[in-house]
Amino acid sequence: MKSNAPIRKLLANTVGKDYVVGDLHGCYGLLERLLNEVAFDKACDRLFSVGDLIDRGPDSLRCLQLLEESWFYAVRGNHELMMLDFFSSYLATGKFDPLEDIVDNGFLEYGGDWVSDYVDSDRHCMTQEFNRGLILALQMPLVWVVGEGSNRFHVIHADLVRPDYKTADHIVWLDSDIDQWLERQLIPPEAERQLYWSRALMSSQLAEQEVAGTQAGLSLTFCGHTYAAKPRQLLSHLCLDTGAFVSWWSRMYGEEGDNSGLTLFNVQESRWVSASYTRDAIFWSEVSAE
């Protein structure tokens, strides 16, 4: 059953494994390699995504179509948000003229030009397969809450850093705040902005300070949005964005590959695996979620 609830909850997985994948950005081929590597079982395993399924990589629509799968659970990232904003008029009217209905919101400049392949110029609309993907993006939540107690974890896109963190009791919103959002099915506007756009924790003055790996009162929270060479954990946020699209660009432009790639995290085993377009080997590592 589809829902438009901004925050949703699932029970712990007692019959299989839960995995969380970093920002896909159209890199469907890398995801396939990783799922094969871990022997992902669609009958009992679940795959969570920190959002940004689309843009920059080679298979954006295929990644968006993952939302149709019963074992796939994603949150909306800022790239899905920009896409929905870009097509807001089309969603309301069902008509799209690429010469007139262009919203200058950065969507095309930041990797959204792939949508031009799905324009039906004769009918002044988008193709049916693209329309299905667009509707699925409308139904994406901003937060997944999974499990209870010590087994609880969250999936978000950016971070939970409070805008007033310099004067607040806590730098980040806690489980108690998220539980209130869940009960009311209402995420405050200031929190919504952070969930889409904030880089305050992973690439700012906070990241440079000696902040703890965990935050009392906040369950393990998987996020993305700000990529680095490997996963890193600050204030209970475990960022899994390791630059999948960067490895695609390196391959396309013949540049020397670095450590960028797509990362898949096994929640039960606290272990991650990474694949890249610039190397044949798949890397395994261990992450200690403090």
Side-chain angles (χ1 to χ4, degrees), residues 56-107:
R56 297 175 171 166
D59 297 303
S60 285
L61 185 59
R62 184 66 191 89
C63 287
L64 199 58
Q65 290 169 338
L66 285 166
L67 294 167
E68 295 179 310
E69 303 291 349
S70 61
W71 43 265
F72 186 73
Y73 303 85
V75 293
R76 187 185 300 153
N78 61 298
H79 281 258
E80 285 83 36
L81 178 67
M82 287 192 293
M83 178 181 68
L84 292 171
D85 182 48
F86 183 84
F87 285 105
S88 58
S89 176
Y90 174 63
L91 285 166
T93 66
K95 296 296 182 182
F96 181 73
D97 186 339
L99 297 179
E100 295 182 6
D101 298 332
I102 298 298
V103 178
D104 186 16
N105 69 342
F107 173 61

Side-chain angles (χ1 to χ4, degrees), residues 194-205:
Q194 299 299 92
L195 288 166
Y196 280 128
W197 298 103
S198 178
R199 300 188 193 276
L201 190 56
M202 294 296 167
S203 67
S204 73
Q205 64 271 25

